[in-house]
Amino acid sequence: MYRSITMPEFYQASKKQKLHLIDVREVDEFINGHVPNAQNNPLSHFTTANLVKDLDYYVICHSGARSEQACHYMDQQGFKAVNVLGGTSAWPGELV
């Protein structure tokens, strides 16, 4: 079962270490601004092909609904996924 993390928890953790962050929003949404160090993997074409099973992946979207779907899928495939609640709309820093 995947787990969830609040945005304040995620933000603090991201300041301490580089996290593996997957942004599942569409390409145009990602280009218009994303959390630093995020990799785009749109839910509409989501793939686990380049992921490693023993890493923790934090998954984000705009509000948390699409990332929840991606986390559920990743969990079924044997990956460690963490849903970032609130998504980019709750990110307290600057989007790049």
Side-chain angles (χ1 to χ4, degrees):
M1 182 73 184
Y2 69 89
R3 62 187 176 98
S4 296
I5 189 172
T6 66
M7 181 53 74
E9 292 170 320
F10 173 75
Y11 184 70
Q12 288 304 315
S14 72
K15 291 170 71 175
K16 295 176 185 173
Q17 63 182 315
K18 184 178 178 186
L19 303 175
H20 301 279
L21 179 61
I22 300 171
D23 188 324
V24 296
R25 296 176 303 147
E26 294 303 313
V27 173
D28 62 321
E29 293 174 283
F30 184 81
I31 289 171
N32 285 323
H34 56 274
V35 173
N37 299 316
Q39 298 298 312
N40 192 218
N41 189 351
L43 186 61
S44 62
H45 299 90
F46 192 79
T47 180
T48 58
N50 297 318
L51 303 181
V52 178
K53 289 206 174 180
D54 54 343
L55 293 178
D56 289 328
Y57 290 98
Y58 293 81
V59 185
I60 196 168
C61 64
H62 179 72
S63 64
R66 287 178 280 182
S67 57
E68 182 176 17
Q69 292 176 42
C71 285
H72 180 73
Y73 175 76
M74 289 174 71
D75 182 61
Q76 289 179 326
Q77 303 301 312
F79 291 92
K80 298 181 204 173
V82 181
N83 185 27
V84 181
L85 299 171
T88 58
S89 65
W91 176 251
E94 190 170 328
L95 297 175
V96 295

